[in-house]
Amino acid sequence: MPVYLESENIITSLGFSVEENLKAMGEGISGIRMCSNTDLSDQPFPVSLVDKNRLDTALSGFSIPDDSTFGKLVFLSVMEALKGSSVDPSDPRTVFILSTTKGNIELMRGKGSNAGNSRLLLWHSAEQIRRYYGNPNKAIVVSNACISGLLAMIAGQRLIKNGDYDHAVIVGADVVSKFIVSGFQSFLSLSTNPCKPFDRDRDGLTLGEGAGTVVLSNRRPDRKTVIELVSGASANDANHISGPSRTGEGLYIALKQALKGVVEDPGFISAHGTATPFNDDMESIALTRAGLAHIPANSLKGFIGHTLGAAGIIESLIGAGCLSGNMMLKNMGLQHQGLVNALNTPIENLKQPFLTFVKTASGFGGCNAAALFRKHE
C-alpha cells in the first residue's frame, strides 16, 4: 500500500509556504541573520527566526487554544496544510502526530510559577490540535531529539501501511528560546557565523525556528506529479549523550534498512549536515559505508539553520519539492569541503530529472533515521 504526501506547509524565516521557501533557496537566499535580542542570548549570535508580525497577521480572526509562539506556528502550519487537503481531519481514520524537541519550553521563563502550566506538556499540545479539529483519536507525540520530525513521518507511514489509519496529519515545530540557545552554547556547538555544512572551516551549527506539516494518505492525490514516502528506518548506536558515533553505526544501519530491496541509487541525499565538526564527519563515514558517497548530497541548514524537531519534516518537504521540480539545491555556505570521507556536495543548484531522494537525520543520544521518497508522474 503506497503512502503519499497529500498536502503540506512550511513556515520558516524564508517564508510561510513550501513554494516561498523553495523560491528563496533556489535563488541562494539565506534566512540566517545576526540577532542582538538579549531575551535569547546575552551575546549577539546568528539565527534563523520566523517573522512574528506576519505570524500574528496570518492568525488574526482565528481563536486558537495556544497563543504562544510555538502554538501559533503549530496551528497556522496545520491550517495551511489542511487547506490544500481533501482529508477530513475529524475522520476516525485520520491520526494527528506532533513532533518537537522542546515544545513550549519558552514558557518556563514567564512571570511567576509555571509548574502547573499544562502548555508545557507535549501531550497537551498534541491534544489541543486533535480537539481543535474534532478528531476522535488519541494524538501521538514523537520527541526524539533532532530526528523527531523524520521519525514522526516514518511512524505515520507505518500506521497507514499497517491499516491502522488511512491518513496522518503530522506537524513538527520548535521555537528558538534562551533555554535552547544557552543549552547549545554550553556545548560550545554554536558558530559565531552562519553555519557552513561540510566545509573544512565549519565550527558549529546555527539555530533556526519554524514549523512543517505534512498530510500523509493511502489515497493518491489528484495531480500529475505525486511523491511517495516509500520506506524509513531508525537506529540508535547508543554512542554518547551528545556526541555522534565515530563510525556512523546508527546512521549506517538506518540507511541500509531504509534502502533494503531498493536496486537503483537514490537521485540525491538531503543530509542532516549540522556543520559541527563531528556530525558532518560522522555522516560522511556512514554514507561512505552505505556506498552512497558518490550521490549528490546537500544540507539545508545553511539556508534556515537547524530547526530541531521540525527539521525532518521541513527538509523532507523541501526535498519533495525539489524532486517534483527536477532540481537539487546547493550547499549554502560551503566553499571548501573538509570531511574525513569525501562526499559529492554541490556548491551550485543541480537541474536534472530526479526520481528518488533519501533524507537522513541524527540527534543527541545516538538516534538516527533515514527515509526514501519517490516521484510518480
Side-chain angles (χ1 to χ4, degrees), residues 223-270:
R223 55 179 180 266
K224 181 176 182 292
T225 302
V226 297
I227 307 298
E228 176 191 359
L229 173 46
V230 179
S231 59
S234 64
N236 194 305
D237 50 49
N239 175 74
H240 189 269
I241 193 170
S242 61
S245 166
R246 297 296 192 271
T247 63
E249 188 67 18
L251 184 54
Y252 167 73
I253 293 172
L255 282 165
K256 295 299 286 186
Q257 289 296 318
L259 296 174
K260 188 176 182 179
V262 178
V263 177
E264 76 276 14
D265 285 338
F268 66 89
I269 299 164
S270 176

mmCIF file of all heavy atoms in Angstrom, residues 223-270:
data_model
loop_
_atom_site.group_PDB
_atom_site.id
_atom_site.type_symbol
_atom_site.label_atom_id
_atom_site.label_comp_id
_atom_site.label_asym_id
_atom_site.label_seq_id
_atom_site.Cartn_x
_atom_site.Cartn_y
_atom_site.Cartn_z
ATOM 1 N N ARG A 223 -3.356 14.840 -8.782
ATOM 2 C CA ARG A 223 -2.493 15.730 -9.558
ATOM 3 C C ARG A 223 -1.486 14.888 -10.326
ATOM 4 O O ARG A 223 -1.281 13.714 -10.027
ATOM 5 C CB ARG A 223 -1.784 16.747 -8.661
ATOM 6 C CG ARG A 223 -0.988 16.166 -7.504
ATOM 7 C CD ARG A 223 -0.307 17.279 -6.708
ATOM 8 N NE ARG A 223 0.466 16.770 -5.601
ATOM 9 C CZ ARG A 223 0.009 16.640 -4.348
ATOM 10 N NH1 ARG A 223 -1.247 16.980 -4.076
ATOM 11 N NH2 ARG A 223 0.781 16.154 -3.394
ATOM 12 N N LYS A 224 -0.841 15.488 -11.305
ATOM 13 C CA LYS A 224 0.030 14.735 -12.208
ATOM 14 C C LYS A 224 1.239 14.147 -11.494
ATOM 15 O O LYS A 224 1.542 12.964 -11.617
ATOM 16 C CB LYS A 224 0.496 15.631 -13.365
ATOM 17 C CG LYS A 224 1.385 14.934 -14.380
ATOM 18 C CD LYS A 224 1.724 15.871 -15.527
ATOM 19 C CE LYS A 224 2.566 15.155 -16.577
ATOM 20 N NZ LYS A 224 3.911 14.815 -16.116
ATOM 21 N N THR A 225 1.943 14.965 -10.724
ATOM 22 C CA THR A 225 3.157 14.524 -10.036
ATOM 23 C C THR A 225 2.874 14.359 -8.549
ATOM 24 O O THR A 225 2.391 15.291 -7.898
ATOM 25 C CB THR A 225 4.298 15.538 -10.228
ATOM 26 O OG1 THR A 225 4.554 15.698 -11.630
ATOM 27 C CG2 THR A 225 5.567 15.050 -9.544
ATOM 28 N N VAL A 226 3.167 13.187 -8.023
ATOM 29 C CA VAL A 226 2.957 12.930 -6.598
ATOM 30 C C VAL A 226 4.221 12.316 -6.015
ATOM 31 O O VAL A 226 5.030 11.706 -6.721
ATOM 32 C CB VAL A 226 1.752 11.983 -6.360
ATOM 33 C CG1 VAL A 226 0.468 12.623 -6.837
ATOM 34 C CG2 VAL A 226 1.970 10.637 -7.013
ATOM 35 N N ILE A 227 4.388 12.494 -4.710
ATOM 36 C CA ILE A 227 5.553 11.969 -4.001
ATOM 37 C C ILE A 227 5.107 10.910 -3.003
ATOM 38 O O ILE A 227 4.183 11.136 -2.225
ATOM 39 C CB ILE A 227 6.314 13.090 -3.261
ATOM 40 C CG1 ILE A 227 6.664 14.234 -4.214
ATOM 41 C CG2 ILE A 227 7.574 12.517 -2.603
ATOM 42 C CD1 ILE A 227 7.577 13.861 -5.363
ATOM 43 N N GLU A 228 5.791 9.782 -3.053
ATOM 44 C CA GLU A 228 5.505 8.685 -2.135
ATOM 45 C C GLU A 228 6.599 8.580 -1.079
ATOM 46 O O GLU A 228 7.789 8.671 -1.404
ATOM 47 C CB GLU A 228 5.431 7.365 -2.910
ATOM 48 C CG GLU A 228 5.225 6.136 -2.035
ATOM 49 C CD GLU A 228 5.417 4.823 -2.785
ATOM 50 O OE1 GLU A 228 5.697 4.860 -4.002
ATOM 51 O OE2 GLU A 228 5.309 3.761 -2.139
ATOM 52 N N LEU A 229 6.189 8.416 0.170
ATOM 53 C CA LEU A 229 7.137 8.067 1.227
ATOM 54 C C LEU A 229 7.247 6.547 1.206
ATOM 55 O O LEU A 229 6.365 5.837 1.686
ATOM 56 C CB LEU A 229 6.655 8.570 2.593
ATOM 57 C CG LEU A 229 7.450 8.158 3.837
ATOM 58 C CD1 LEU A 229 8.950 8.330 3.645
ATOM 59 C CD2 LEU A 229 6.969 8.922 5.057
ATOM 60 N N VAL A 230 8.317 6.049 0.603
ATOM 61 C CA VAL A 230 8.439 4.627 0.306
ATOM 62 C C VAL A 230 8.781 3.807 1.541
ATOM 63 O O VAL A 230 8.158 2.787 1.830
ATOM 64 C CB VAL A 230 9.505 4.396 -0.785
ATOM 65 C CG1 VAL A 230 9.649 2.905 -1.094
ATOM 66 C CG2 VAL A 230 9.174 5.179 -2.043
ATOM 67 N N SER A 231 9.791 4.260 2.271
ATOM 68 C CA SER A 231 10.283 3.472 3.403
ATOM 69 C C SER A 231 11.063 4.364 4.352
ATOM 70 O O SER A 231 11.498 5.460 3.985
ATOM 71 C CB SER A 231 11.176 2.325 2.911
ATOM 72 O OG SER A 231 12.281 2.840 2.170
ATOM 73 N N GLY A 232 11.250 3.873 5.558
ATOM 74 C CA GLY A 232 12.031 4.615 6.543
ATOM 75 C C GLY A 232 12.465 3.701 7.662
ATOM 76 O O GLY A 232 11.855 2.650 7.910
ATOM 77 N N ALA A 233 13.522 4.095 8.331
ATOM 78 C CA ALA A 233 14.044 3.289 9.436
ATOM 79 C C ALA A 233 14.781 4.187 10.408
ATOM 80 O O ALA A 233 15.258 5.270 10.052
ATOM 81 C CB ALA A 233 14.983 2.202 8.912
ATOM 82 N N SER A 234 14.877 3.735 11.653
ATOM 83 C CA SER A 234 15.656 4.446 12.660
ATOM 84 C C SER A 234 16.545 3.455 13.393
ATOM 85 O O SER A 234 16.232 2.258 13.464
ATOM 86 C CB SER A 234 14.746 5.175 13.654
ATOM 87 O OG SER A 234 13.967 4.252 14.394
ATOM 88 N N ALA A 235 17.646 3.945 13.925
ATOM 89 C CA ALA A 235 18.572 3.096 14.677
ATOM 90 C C ALA A 235 19.325 3.956 15.674
ATOM 91 O O ALA A 235 19.678 5.101 15.380
ATOM 92 C CB ALA A 235 19.557 2.398 13.736
ATOM 93 N N ASN A 236 19.569 3.413 16.849
ATOM 94 C CA ASN A 236 20.307 4.127 17.885
ATOM 95 C C ASN A 236 21.612 3.401 18.165
ATOM 96 O O ASN A 236 21.612 2.220 18.490
ATOM 97 C CB ASN A 236 19.466 4.228 19.161
ATOM 98 C CG ASN A 236 20.039 5.230 20.139
ATOM 99 O OD1 ASN A 236 21.205 5.135 20.518
ATOM 100 N ND2 ASN A 236 19.241 6.200 20.532
ATOM 101 N N ASP A 237 22.725 4.112 18.018
ATOM 102 C CA ASP A 237 24.028 3.483 18.269
ATOM 103 C C ASP A 237 24.471 3.623 19.722
ATOM 104 O O ASP A 237 25.515 3.101 20.112
ATOM 105 C CB ASP A 237 25.095 4.047 17.330
ATOM 106 C CG ASP A 237 25.128 5.571 17.301
ATOM 107 O OD1 ASP A 237 25.139 6.187 18.391
ATOM 108 O OD2 ASP A 237 25.145 6.147 16.209
ATOM 109 N N ALA A 238 23.673 4.356 20.533
ATOM 110 C CA ALA A 238 23.961 4.497 21.968
ATOM 111 C C ALA A 238 25.412 4.885 22.216
ATOM 112 O O ALA A 238 26.043 4.426 23.159
ATOM 113 C CB ALA A 238 23.627 3.191 22.703
ATOM 114 N N ASN A 239 25.918 5.775 21.358
ATOM 115 C CA ASN A 239 27.330 6.148 21.447
ATOM 116 C C ASN A 239 27.619 7.095 22.611
ATOM 117 O O ASN A 239 28.546 6.876 23.377
ATOM 118 C CB ASN A 239 27.768 6.796 20.129
ATOM 119 C CG ASN A 239 29.184 7.335 20.173
ATOM 120 O OD1 ASN A 239 30.133 6.569 20.142
ATOM 121 N ND2 ASN A 239 29.329 8.647 20.261
ATOM 122 N N HIS A 240 26.801 8.154 22.731
ATOM 123 C CA HIS A 240 27.090 9.204 23.711
ATOM 124 C C HIS A 240 25.845 10.062 23.866
ATOM 125 O O HIS A 240 25.030 10.154 22.946
ATOM 126 C CB HIS A 240 28.277 10.054 23.215
ATOM 127 C CG HIS A 240 28.798 11.028 24.226
ATOM 128 N ND1 HIS A 240 28.332 12.319 24.314
ATOM 129 C CD2 HIS A 240 29.756 10.898 25.191
ATOM 130 C CE1 HIS A 240 28.982 12.950 25.288
ATOM 131 N NE2 HIS A 240 29.831 12.117 25.828
ATOM 132 N N ILE A 241 25.703 10.719 25.004
ATOM 133 C CA ILE A 241 24.511 11.530 25.229
ATOM 134 C C ILE A 241 24.422 12.702 24.249
ATOM 135 O O ILE A 241 23.336 13.163 23.903
ATOM 136 C CB ILE A 241 24.457 12.026 26.693
ATOM 137 C CG1 ILE A 241 23.069 12.590 27.001
ATOM 138 C CG2 ILE A 241 25.557 13.055 26.964
ATOM 139 C CD1 ILE A 241 22.844 12.888 28.454
ATOM 140 N N SER A 242 25.563 13.192 23.768
ATOM 141 C CA SER A 242 25.514 14.313 22.828
ATOM 142 C C SER A 242 26.424 14.132 21.617
ATOM 143 O O SER A 242 26.209 14.769 20.588
ATOM 144 C CB SER A 242 25.883 15.631 23.527
ATOM 145 O OG SER A 242 27.203 15.572 24.044
ATOM 146 N N GLY A 243 27.432 13.281 21.704
ATOM 147 C CA GLY A 243 28.382 13.132 20.608
ATOM 148 C C GLY A 243 27.999 12.036 19.639
ATOM 149 O O GLY A 243 27.548 10.961 20.044
ATOM 150 N N PRO A 244 28.148 12.268 18.321
ATOM 151 C CA PRO A 244 27.817 11.239 17.329
ATOM 152 C C PRO A 244 28.855 10.116 17.300
ATOM 153 O O PRO A 244 29.994 10.296 17.702
ATOM 154 C CB PRO A 244 27.813 12.005 16.005
ATOM 155 C CG PRO A 244 28.745 13.151 16.232
ATOM 156 C CD PRO A 244 28.593 13.521 17.683
ATOM 157 N N SER A 245 28.433 8.970 16.806
ATOM 158 C CA SER A 245 29.312 7.809 16.685
ATOM 159 C C SER A 245 30.475 8.118 15.746
ATOM 160 O O SER A 245 30.291 8.716 14.690
ATOM 161 C CB SER A 245 28.521 6.617 16.145
ATOM 162 O OG SER A 245 29.380 5.592 15.721
ATOM 163 N N ARG A 246 31.670 7.691 16.122
ATOM 164 C CA ARG A 246 32.844 7.907 15.252
ATOM 165 C C ARG A 246 32.809 6.994 14.029
ATOM 166 O O ARG A 246 33.501 7.229 13.042
ATOM 167 C CB ARG A 246 34.140 7.663 16.037
ATOM 168 C CG ARG A 246 34.363 8.612 17.212
ATOM 169 C CD ARG A 246 34.537 10.053 16.746
ATOM 170 N NE ARG A 246 35.014 10.907 17.804
ATOM 171 C CZ ARG A 246 34.254 11.553 18.664
ATOM 172 N NH1 ARG A 246 32.941 11.423 18.588
ATOM 173 N NH2 ARG A 246 34.764 12.327 19.595
ATOM 174 N N THR A 247 32.002 5.931 14.077
ATOM 175 C CA THR A 247 31.904 5.004 12.946
ATOM 176 C C THR A 247 30.615 5.187 12.148
ATOM 177 O O THR A 247 30.419 4.509 11.139
ATOM 178 C CB THR A 247 31.975 3.542 13.429
ATOM 179 O OG1 THR A 247 30.859 3.274 14.280
ATOM 180 C CG2 THR A 247 33.264 3.298 14.192
ATOM 181 N N GLY A 248 29.726 6.083 12.612
ATOM 182 C CA GLY A 248 28.457 6.298 11.917
ATOM 183 C C GLY A 248 27.542 5.092 11.955
ATOM 184 O O GLY A 248 26.688 4.925 11.075
ATOM 185 N N GLU A 249 27.693 4.262 12.989
ATOM 186 C CA GLU A 249 26.997 2.976 13.013
ATOM 187 C C GLU A 249 25.480 3.101 12.927
ATOM 188 O O GLU A 249 24.827 2.418 12.133
ATOM 189 C CB GLU A 249 27.381 2.201 14.282
ATOM 190 C CG GLU A 249 26.863 0.772 14.312
ATOM 191 C CD GLU A 249 27.506 -0.126 13.275
ATOM 192 O OE1 GLU A 249 28.578 0.233 12.755
ATOM 193 O OE2 GLU A 249 26.919 -1.188 12.984
ATOM 194 N N GLY A 250 24.893 3.973 13.753
ATOM 195 C CA GLY A 250 23.439 4.097 13.773
ATOM 196 C C GLY A 250 22.880 4.580 12.452
ATOM 197 O O GLY A 250 21.875 4.044 11.947
ATOM 198 N N LEU A 251 23.496 5.608 11.872
ATOM 199 C CA LEU A 251 23.011 6.132 10.592
ATOM 200 C C LEU A 251 23.223 5.111 9.480
ATOM 201 O O LEU A 251 22.381 4.958 8.594
ATOM 202 C CB LEU A 251 23.716 7.447 10.259
ATOM 203 C CG LEU A 251 23.238 8.151 8.981
ATOM 204 C CD1 LEU A 251 21.729 8.380 8.999
ATOM 205 C CD2 LEU A 251 23.973 9.463 8.779
ATOM 206 N N TYR A 252 24.335 4.392 9.523
ATOM 207 C CA TYR A 252 24.589 3.344 8.534
ATOM 208 C C TYR A 252 23.494 2.283 8.581
ATOM 209 O O TYR A 252 22.950 1.882 7.539
ATOM 210 C CB TYR A 252 25.955 2.705 8.792
ATOM 211 C CG TYR A 252 26.188 1.415 8.044
ATOM 212 C CD1 TYR A 252 26.418 1.416 6.667
ATOM 213 C CD2 TYR A 252 26.152 0.195 8.712
ATOM 214 C CE1 TYR A 252 26.614 0.230 5.973
ATOM 215 C CE2 TYR A 252 26.345 -0.999 8.031
ATOM 216 C CZ TYR A 252 26.585 -0.977 6.656
ATOM 217 O OH TYR A 252 26.771 -2.154 5.979
ATOM 218 N N ILE A 253 23.132 1.847 9.780
ATOM 219 C CA ILE A 253 22.082 0.837 9.921
ATOM 220 C C ILE A 253 20.745 1.375 9.404
ATOM 221 O O ILE A 253 20.013 0.684 8.683
ATOM 222 C CB ILE A 253 21.947 0.400 11.392
ATOM 223 C CG1 ILE A 253 23.203 -0.346 11.844
ATOM 224 C CG2 ILE A 253 20.714 -0.487 11.584
ATOM 225 C CD1 ILE A 253 23.241 -0.637 13.339
ATOM 226 N N ALA A 254 20.412 2.619 9.766
ATOM 227 C CA ALA A 254 19.153 3.220 9.312
ATOM 228 C C ALA A 254 19.112 3.311 7.784
ATOM 229 O O ALA A 254 18.082 3.018 7.160
ATOM 230 C CB ALA A 254 18.977 4.602 9.936
ATOM 231 N N LEU A 255 20.215 3.710 7.177
ATOM 232 C CA LEU A 255 20.280 3.805 5.713
ATOM 233 C C LEU A 255 20.096 2.437 5.061
ATOM 234 O O LEU A 255 19.337 2.292 4.086
ATOM 235 C CB LEU A 255 21.619 4.408 5.285
ATOM 236 C CG LEU A 255 21.763 5.924 5.423
ATOM 237 C CD1 LEU A 255 23.226 6.333 5.333
ATOM 238 C CD2 LEU A 255 20.950 6.633 4.337
ATOM 239 N N LYS A 256 20.786 1.434 5.569
ATOM 240 C CA LYS A 256 20.685 0.095 4.982
ATOM 241 C C LYS A 256 19.270 -0.451 5.104
ATOM 242 O O LYS A 256 18.765 -1.103 4.179
ATOM 243 C CB LYS A 256 21.680 -0.853 5.665
ATOM 244 C CG LYS A 256 23.142 -0.490 5.449
ATOM 245 C CD LYS A 256 23.535 -0.509 3.974
ATOM 246 C CE LYS A 256 23.663 -1.915 3.428
ATOM 247 N NZ LYS A 256 24.176 -1.922 2.024
ATOM 248 N N GLN A 257 18.609 -0.189 6.221
ATOM 249 C CA GLN A 257 17.246 -0.669 6.402
ATOM 250 C C GLN A 257 16.262 0.092 5.511
ATOM 251 O O GLN A 257 15.359 -0.503 4.912
ATOM 252 C CB GLN A 257 16.831 -0.531 7.869
ATOM 253 C CG GLN A 257 17.515 -1.511 8.803
ATOM 254 C CD GLN A 257 17.144 -2.955 8.494
ATOM 255 O OE1 GLN A 257 15.987 -3.277 8.220
ATOM 256 N NE2 GLN A 257 18.129 -3.836 8.527
ATOM 257 N N ALA A 258 16.427 1.408 5.418
ATOM 258 C CA ALA A 258 15.520 2.216 4.599
ATOM 259 C C ALA A 258 15.651 1.877 3.121
ATOM 260 O O ALA A 258 14.679 1.979 2.360
ATOM 261 C CB ALA A 258 15.788 3.699 4.824
ATOM 262 N N LEU A 259 16.845 1.470 2.699
ATOM 263 C CA LEU A 259 17.094 1.185 1.275
ATOM 264 C C LEU A 259 17.096 -0.305 0.968
ATOM 265 O O LEU A 259 17.463 -0.709 -0.138
ATOM 266 C CB LEU A 259 18.429 1.802 0.851
ATOM 267 C CG LEU A 259 18.505 3.334 0.923
ATOM 268 C CD1 LEU A 259 19.909 3.816 0.611
ATOM 269 C CD2 LEU A 259 17.498 3.957 -0.034
ATOM 270 N N LYS A 260 16.680 -1.098 1.928
ATOM 271 C CA LYS A 260 16.668 -2.543 1.734
ATOM 272 C C LYS A 260 15.745 -2.922 0.576
ATOM 273 O O LYS A 260 14.584 -2.526 0.524
ATOM 274 C CB LYS A 260 16.193 -3.234 3.015
ATOM 275 C CG LYS A 260 16.311 -4.749 2.995
ATOM 276 C CD LYS A 260 15.921 -5.336 4.344
ATOM 277 C CE LYS A 260 16.074 -6.847 4.360
ATOM 278 N NZ LYS A 260 15.717 -7.418 5.692
ATOM 279 N N GLY A 261 16.280 -3.672 -0.377
ATOM 280 C CA GLY A 261 15.498 -4.105 -1.530
ATOM 281 C C GLY A 261 15.426 -3.099 -2.649
ATOM 282 O O GLY A 261 14.862 -3.387 -3.714
ATOM 283 N N VAL A 262 15.985 -1.903 -2.460
ATOM 284 C CA VAL A 262 15.990 -0.876 -3.498
ATOM 285 C C VAL A 262 17.196 -1.099 -4.398
ATOM 286 O O VAL A 262 18.338 -1.109 -3.937
ATOM 287 C CB VAL A 262 16.031 0.545 -2.892
ATOM 288 C CG1 VAL A 262 16.079 1.594 -3.988
ATOM 289 C CG2 VAL A 262 14.833 0.758 -1.977
ATOM 290 N N VAL A 263 16.960 -1.281 -5.673
ATOM 291 C CA VAL A 263 18.038 -1.630 -6.608
ATOM 292 C C VAL A 263 18.816 -0.395 -7.058
ATOM 293 O O VAL A 263 20.045 -0.366 -7.034
ATOM 294 C CB VAL A 263 17.473 -2.376 -7.836
ATOM 295 C CG1 VAL A 263 18.587 -2.677 -8.830
ATOM 296 C CG2 VAL A 263 16.777 -3.652 -7.406
ATOM 297 N N GLU A 264 18.076 0.655 -7.474
ATOM 298 C CA GLU A 264 18.740 1.822 -8.037
ATOM 299 C C GLU A 264 19.250 2.763 -6.945
ATOM 300 O O GLU A 264 18.728 2.770 -5.823
ATOM 301 C CB GLU A 264 17.797 2.576 -8.970
ATOM 302 C CG GLU A 264 16.721 3.415 -8.267
ATOM 303 C CD GLU A 264 15.488 2.627 -7.856
ATOM 304 O OE1 GLU A 264 15.542 1.384 -7.865
ATOM 305 O OE2 GLU A 264 14.482 3.275 -7.504
ATOM 306 N N ASP A 265 20.281 3.527 -7.281
ATOM 307 C CA ASP A 265 20.789 4.536 -6.352
ATOM 308 C C ASP A 265 19.772 5.676 -6.221
ATOM 309 O O ASP A 265 19.081 6.012 -7.192
ATOM 310 C CB ASP A 265 22.105 5.129 -6.864
ATOM 311 C CG ASP A 265 23.277 4.194 -6.680
ATOM 312 O OD1 ASP A 265 23.191 3.295 -5.823
ATOM 313 O OD2 ASP A 265 24.285 4.362 -7.400
ATOM 314 N N PRO A 266 19.695 6.301 -5.039
ATOM 315 C CA PRO A 266 18.841 7.495 -4.917
ATOM 316 C C PRO A 266 19.399 8.632 -5.755
ATOM 317 O O PRO A 266 20.607 8.700 -6.023
ATOM 318 C CB PRO A 266 18.906 7.815 -3.422
ATOM 319 C CG PRO A 266 20.172 7.179 -2.941
ATOM 320 C CD PRO A 266 20.353 5.953 -3.779
ATOM 321 N N GLY A 267 18.502 9.531 -6.182
ATOM 322 C CA GLY A 267 18.948 10.650 -7.007
ATOM 323 C C GLY A 267 19.806 11.635 -6.238
ATOM 324 O O GLY A 267 20.826 12.108 -6.727
ATOM 325 N N PHE A 268 19.387 11.956 -5.018
ATOM 326 C CA PHE A 268 20.198 12.824 -4.168
ATOM 327 C C PHE A 268 19.900 12.527 -2.710
ATOM 328 O O PHE A 268 18.947 11.800 -2.387
ATOM 329 C CB PHE A 268 19.985 14.315 -4.489
ATOM 330 C CG PHE A 268 18.621 14.867 -4.192
ATOM 331 C CD1 PHE A 268 18.304 15.409 -2.946
ATOM 332 C CD2 PHE A 268 17.633 14.883 -5.173
ATOM 333 C CE1 PHE A 268 17.061 15.933 -2.680
ATOM 334 C CE2 PHE A 268 16.366 15.401 -4.918
ATOM 335 C CZ PHE A 268 16.084 15.931 -3.667
ATOM 336 N N ILE A 269 20.718 13.082 -1.826
ATOM 337 C CA ILE A 269 20.586 12.878 -0.390
ATOM 338 C C ILE A 269 20.397 14.226 0.289
ATOM 339 O O ILE A 269 21.211 15.138 0.111
ATOM 340 C CB ILE A 269 21.837 12.187 0.192
ATOM 341 C CG1 ILE A 269 22.019 10.810 -0.445
ATOM 342 C CG2 ILE A 269 21.722 12.061 1.715
ATOM 343 C CD1 ILE A 269 23.393 10.221 -0.231
ATOM 344 N N SER A 270 19.318 14.358 1.042
ATOM 345 C CA SER A 270 19.111 15.533 1.887
ATOM 346 C C SER A 270 19.649 15.162 3.261
ATOM 347 O O SER A 270 18.976 14.500 4.054
ATOM 348 C CB SER A 270 17.620 15.898 1.963
ATOM 349 O OG SER A 270 17.414 16.974 2.856
#
